[in-house]
Amino acid sequence: MDLLYGFSFYPEHIYEEEAYQTDLKLIKESGANVVRMGEFCWDVLEPSEGVYDFSTIERAVNDLGKMGIQTIICTPTACPPAWMSRNYPEIAYVDNRGVRRDFGARHHYCYNNETYRGFTKKIVEKIGETFGKNPYVIGFQIGNEFAQEGSGRCHCDVCRGKFIRSVKERYQTTENLNQSWELRFWGQSYTDFNQIELPIAPTERDAMPLIKSYFDSPSLRLNFERFASDSFIEYFNLQADILKLYTDKKITTNTTGFGTNGVDYFKMFQTADVFGLDAYPDLYRDNMDNSSFENSFARNVIRNEKFWMLEFSIGGGHGLWSGEGRLQPYPGAIENSVMHTFASDAGAVVHFQYKIFCSGAEQLNYALIDQDRVPRRRYFEFQRTMEHLKEHSAVLEHSQVKKADTAILIDYNSLWALRIKPVKHEHSYIGYACKLYTALKELGYSADVISWKNDFSDYKTVIVPNMFVICDEAVEKLKAYTAAGGTLVGTFLTAIKDTDNVAISESGPCGLTEVFGVNISEIEPVFEDTVATIDFGSFQGKDKYWLDVLESKGAEPIGTFANSYRRGEMIVSKNSYQKGTAYYIGTAFDDDCTKKLLDTILKEASVAKTPFTFGKGVEVITRECSGGGIVYYIFNFKREDAHVQAEKNCTCAITGKQLGKSIKIAPKGYIAIKI
């Protein structure tokens, strides 16, 4: 079986030989065929400067390998050792408040510091020499969760100097810079590039503001976001390039999806071999929407290459953060979520972790087994999952998720810009894109979450949620797509700013008014006491978050205000543009209205649904077999039976059992079906 299923293992935490042998026995009996190790043990690998000791990790790799268990080796660069932080204090990360991060946690290093990069090169080279040709090592993970815990925007002098140089290289003169960023506002123009300071206001989820009401230039902030993202990409490639000298094994890193929003992963993984993702879905409750959305994103970052889920939920108990705890998984939910991930085109699923930590910040956190090393139901469900994965491996290994007819385009500049200056704090760029994805999924449609820089010309429908920042290349691609016969769906907050985060001095949606056949005539947020009813003729809905009120320049209204002083004004439009059709949705709606509107649009675009009828909490994944034919994986995320109705008689793709048209799926269950 080529599919990899296992967990993270930390042999450096084991001090007694008896405990080590117990762990080897339990790992073997679990059925795991892969472990991940090494991401937090620089202090073990290099206990003092220039002195290396890989014996602990190397022994574990070889002992597990002889039992048929492969290892993903990590570079330990998320956690520099104490001697380095003490002897070379200049490597420290400095946050937006000017606070220097001392030794004692993780991610306390500056990713641009040349001293730190020098030590990085040495340890990565040693890892390459030691493990690059090891037959039991299947791949390498670089670092761990870049930009996590508010560590993605260093403000040290090194980063400031490097940022200034990047700005000077891009704009050449302060006159060009002042004009591009329109810095005469509040008298912020520069006469020398060295006058540039790094932004004070943070965009990171876990960062804290230095001054509550301080408003840096949005252009400065967006350019700094791109600079910091590029710095991480540079640091990733520094390590990848060294490893490639010693190995031909796959190289990746473990992203947090859109969790930290620190790095443009579309750009980072242009040089990687496989996309890596961490995800921690709730394994008790019934919602896997975020996981489904991020799995679609994961399989489309590197096309035709199965992604690796490098950290994944396994248990409950204490959480990392104060006051956070996790419910234990509902019976069957571990298998359900794991098989859902493999059916979404994962090539590896690695749980975090094998055994609960007895100490440290992640003390008593979730794991396969507890600190007493006694196997219990999580362990036994892992065993069952592996047995069932083997039964499904022939289907999963010789098929892939069928390319969807609909694409949802993601743009990191828009993500960052809407975090820099939110239009409403309860509105989230990624959250809204996920809502649209979920609405399609519940209707029976599939969607690919892709970068707008991808080729999307062969999709029947392209949805562009909140592409707040627009460039000429994106405008031309969207125009060409629609002109050639595609169905384009734009939403509120589309095409308003340029790539310097400056509002474009023309009617919105800027550069696309001809395509959509509208101008945006007025904008405003939606508050609880200003919610209006929108009439679509055959159904109605309520507006939400934001309004782009539309003025027709050839488009026909399909959604208008039914009340308020805007009665009769257009909020959703439809326009014919050459061979194609363009819709502009000027507000968000409740779930029911969103589904009805998207269903109307996709039906007109002749987008086919899956041949099943099902309720909320059920997902259908369509897989295309390499030898021809289709297999449908149907998942029930609910804690009660799900009833699915098929258009034709069905057969179980694994057992060949005849199922008829009415299919009952047990709580947290799943089935693979052929029609």
Side-chain angles (χ1 to χ4, degrees):
M1 184 179 78
D2 293 332
L3 299 175
L4 302 172
Y5 184 42
F7 31 73
S8 298
F9 179 50
Y10 297 91
E12 70 272 23
H13 295 178
I14 305 169
Y15 299 98
E16 299 171 353
E17 181 64 21
E18 183 181 354
Y20 177 72
Q21 294 300 330
T22 297
D23 285 338
L24 291 185
K25 180 176 181 291
L26 286 171
I27 291 171
K28 181 179 180 179
E29 292 176 354
S30 74
N33 61 7
V34 71
V35 298
R36 183 186 71 123
M37 67 174 83
E39 76 269 35
F40 298 132
C41 64
W42 198 337
D43 61 325
V44 173
L45 301 179
E46 191 178 2
S48 59
E49 184 175 347
V51 177
Y52 299 96
D53 182 0
F54 283 53
S55 59
T56 299
I57 301 300
E58 194 168 14
R59 179 193 181 192
V61 169
N62 292 333
D63 286 346
L64 289 167
K66 291 170 187 175
M67 298 190 302
I69 299 165
Q70 301 182 89
T71 297
I72 298 168
I73 287 288
C74 307
T75 67
T77 51
C79 293
W83 61 260
M84 191 188 303
S85 295
R86 176 60 62 188
N87 296 339
Y88 302 92
E90 68 271 20
I91 72 169
Y93 181 94
V94 178
D95 73 12
N96 57 292
R97 302 165 299 163
V99 175
R100 179 182 174 278
R101 289 196 178 173
D102 289 320
F103 177 81
R106 66 173 181 172
H107 296 302
H108 50 279
Y109 64 89
C110 170
Y111 39 83
N112 278 317
N113 183 273
E114 287 302 325
T115 300
Y116 191 68
R117 288 189 173 196
F119 283 117
T120 295
K121 291 175 184 177
K122 291 175 184 177
I123 192 69
V124 173
E125 187 170 77
K126 291 293 182 182
I127 287 170
E129 290 175 351
T130 305
F131 297 110
K133 301 298 182 184
N134 188 303
Y136 305 131
V137 172
I138 197 167
F140 293 86
Q141 173 189 307
I142 290 174
N144 188 81
E145 296 185 340
F146 286 136
Q148 191 76 323
E149 289 104 44
S151 64
R153 302 294 180 261
C154 184
H155 281 60
C156 74
D157 289 341
V158 170
C159 288
R160 177 174 176 263
K162 190 171 179 180
F163 175 64
I164 289 172
R165 289 192 294 275
S166 73
V167 172
K168 186 174 183 179
E169 183 179 345
R170 179 176 179 182
Y171 295 97
Q172 299 296 309
T173 67
T174 55
E175 289 79 7
N176 289 339
L177 176 63
N178 293 333
Q179 185 173 346
S180 297
W181 292 6
E182 296 196 5
L183 290 174
R184 287 186 177 176
F185 180 82
W186 283 358
Q188 293 179 345
S189 56
Y190 303 109
T191 56
D192 190 301
F193 283 102
N194 288 324
Q195 295 165 351
I196 297 173
E197 299 291 343
L198 299 183
I200 292 175
T203 57
E204 295 182 287
R205 183 177 61 188
D206 296 314
M208 293 180 287
L210 173 65
I211 302 168
K212 184 177 180 181
S213 296
Y214 192 91
F215 305 101
D216 296 288
S217 161
S219 299
L220 170 69
R221 292 179 69 184
L222 181 57
N223 275 272
F224 186 59
E225 293 289 300
R226 281 196 293 261
F227 162 79
S229 175
D230 286 347
S231 296
F232 275 111
I233 294 168
E234 192 177 86
Y235 184 60
F236 170 84
N237 285 327
L238 177 150
Q239 298 186 53
D241 289 345
I242 294 171
L243 288 174
K244 288 173 184 176
L245 298 175
Y246 296 94
T247 189
D248 58 1
K249 310 287 178 67
K250 290 181 178 179
I251 296 171
T252 186
T253 187
N254 58 332
T255 75
T256 54
F258 296 107
T260 51
N261 299 331
V263 185
D264 182 343
Y265 293 133
F266 291 124
K267 188 174 182 180
M268 172 177 276
F269 281 85
Q270 289 175 1
T271 57
D273 299 308
V274 59
F275 185 77
L277 177 66
D278 291 356
Y280 288 89
D282 186 326
L283 298 185
Y284 181 84
R285 298 181 177 87
D286 303 341
N287 190 333
M288 288 285 284
D289 292 346
N290 287 339
S291 290
S292 298
F293 176 80
E294 290 203 335
N295 287 346
S296 179
F297 159 70
R299 67 174 168 264
N300 284 292
V301 174
I302 301 177
R303 296 288 188 113
N304 302 315
E305 179 69 45
K306 292 182 183 295
F307 66 92
W308 284 1
M309 182 67 74
L310 291 165
E311 290 186 23
F312 196 60
S313 292
I314 184 63
H318 295 238
L320 175 59
W321 313 118
S322 175
E324 177 195 312
R326 280 185 176 267
L327 291 166
Q328 292 293 347
Y330 194 86
I334 293 173
E335 180 174 345
N336 177 282
S337 64
V338 167
M339 294 302 295
H340 175 262
T341 307
F342 278 116
S344 299
D345 267 354
V349 175
V350 181
H351 290 294
F352 185 81
Q353 56 177 312
Y354 163 67
K355 186 183 77 69
I356 281 176
F357 293 131
C358 292
S359 63
E362 296 184 83
Q363 184 182 51
L364 298 174
N365 217 340
Y366 24 79
L368 180 71
I369 61 172
D370 298 322
Q371 65 272 22
D372 57 6
R373 289 183 165 85
V374 175
R376 296 186 175 91
R377 72 177 178 96
R378 297 191 303 273
Y379 181 90
F380 299 130
E381 188 168 333
F382 180 97
Q383 287 179 319
R384 290 193 301 274
T385 301
M386 175 54 96
E387 289 305 310
H388 294 153
L389 179 61
K390 290 176 182 176
E391 294 171 2
H392 286 257
S393 63
V395 171
L396 291 170
E397 288 173 356
H398 297 95
S399 66
Q400 62 181 8
V401 175
K402 188 176 185 292
K403 189 173 183 293
D405 288 333
T406 300
I408 296 176
L409 305 189
I410 298 297
D411 171 52
Y412 271 91
N413 282 300
S414 297
L415 184 157
W416 291 325
L418 284 166
R419 285 176 65 84
I420 288 167
K421 199 172 188 300
V423 294
K424 281 201 78 180
H425 289 285
E426 62 267 37
H427 173 262
S428 158
Y429 173 80
I430 292 299
Y432 178 60
C434 183
K435 285 286 187 186
L436 296 175
Y437 177 91
T438 300
L440 294 171
K441 180 185 70 173
E442 291 179 354
L443 286 165
Y445 299 108
S446 59
D448 291 338
V449 179
I450 67 174
S451 168
W452 69 264
K453 295 181 180 179
N454 286 24
D455 179 9
F456 52 81
S457 59
D458 56 349
Y459 286 95
K460 289 185 178 180
T461 307
V462 165
I463 300 175
V464 187
N466 301 161
M467 192 182 274
F468 202 37
V469 174
I470 200 79
C471 65
D472 291 343
E473 182 186 356
V475 166
E476 293 308 313
K477 286 186 72 172
L478 294 171
K479 278 184 175 179
Y481 165 77
T482 313
T487 296
L488 177 65
V489 182
T491 76
F492 61 102
L493 301 174
T494 290
I496 303 301
K497 295 185 178 184
D498 65 19
T499 53
D500 281 317
N501 213 12
V502 171
I504 302 170
S505 298
E506 59 183 76
S507 298
C510 303
L512 296 169
T513 55
E514 183 183 2
V515 175
F516 289 111
V518 295
N519 284 343
I520 298 171
S521 62
E522 204 162 58
I523 59 173
E524 67 178 6
V526 178
F527 295 102
E528 189 175 333
D529 60 342
T530 66
V531 171
T533 300
I534 308 300
D535 183 29
F536 292 92
S538 59
F539 60 93
Q540 291 185 329
K542 303 288 187 181
D543 56 13
K544 193 176 182 180
Y545 300 139
W546 188 257
L547 296 178
D548 280 357
V549 184
L550 306 177
E551 174 188 16
S552 177
K553 294 297 178 181
E556 63 174 292
I558 62 171
T560 58
F561 287 90
N563 57 5
S564 84
Y565 71 89
R566 298 190 190 278
R567 184 188 298 271
E569 292 189 63
M570 180 166 58
I571 192 68
V572 181
S573 63
K574 176 183 178 181
N575 187 54
S576 295
Y577 180 74
Q578 297 186 32
K579 296 179 181 179
T581 306
Y583 295 84
Y584 195 92
I585 303 173
T587 189
F589 300 101
D590 58 85
D591 292 348
D592 184 60
C593 182
T594 299
K595 287 197 283 189
K596 287 177 179 176
L597 176 56
L598 290 176
D599 198 28
T600 299
I601 293 171
L602 267 64
K603 279 180 178 176
E604 289 192 14
S606 300
V607 178
K609 296 183 181 182
T610 59
F612 302 96
T613 303
F614 51 88
K616 200 173 179 66
V618 173
E619 180 177 350
V620 179
I621 297 175
T622 305
R623 296 186 63 85
E624 209 163 26
C625 301
S626 56
I630 296 291
V631 173
Y632 300 96
Y633 271 84
I634 307 179
F635 292 87
N636 175 20
F637 302 126
K638 299 183 294 184
R639 288 164 284 162
E640 59 189 41
D641 289 341
H643 297 274
V644 177
Q645 190 69 26
E647 293 178 359
K648 298 178 181 179
N649 288 326
C650 300
T651 303
C652 177
I654 306 303
T655 66
K657 180 182 177 181
Q658 298 296 313
L659 302 172
K661 293 182 181 179
S662 297
I663 303 155
K664 184 173 81 170
I665 305 177
K668 303 295 182 181
Y670 64 94
I671 191 168
I673 285 175
K674 288 185 177 181
I675 294 182

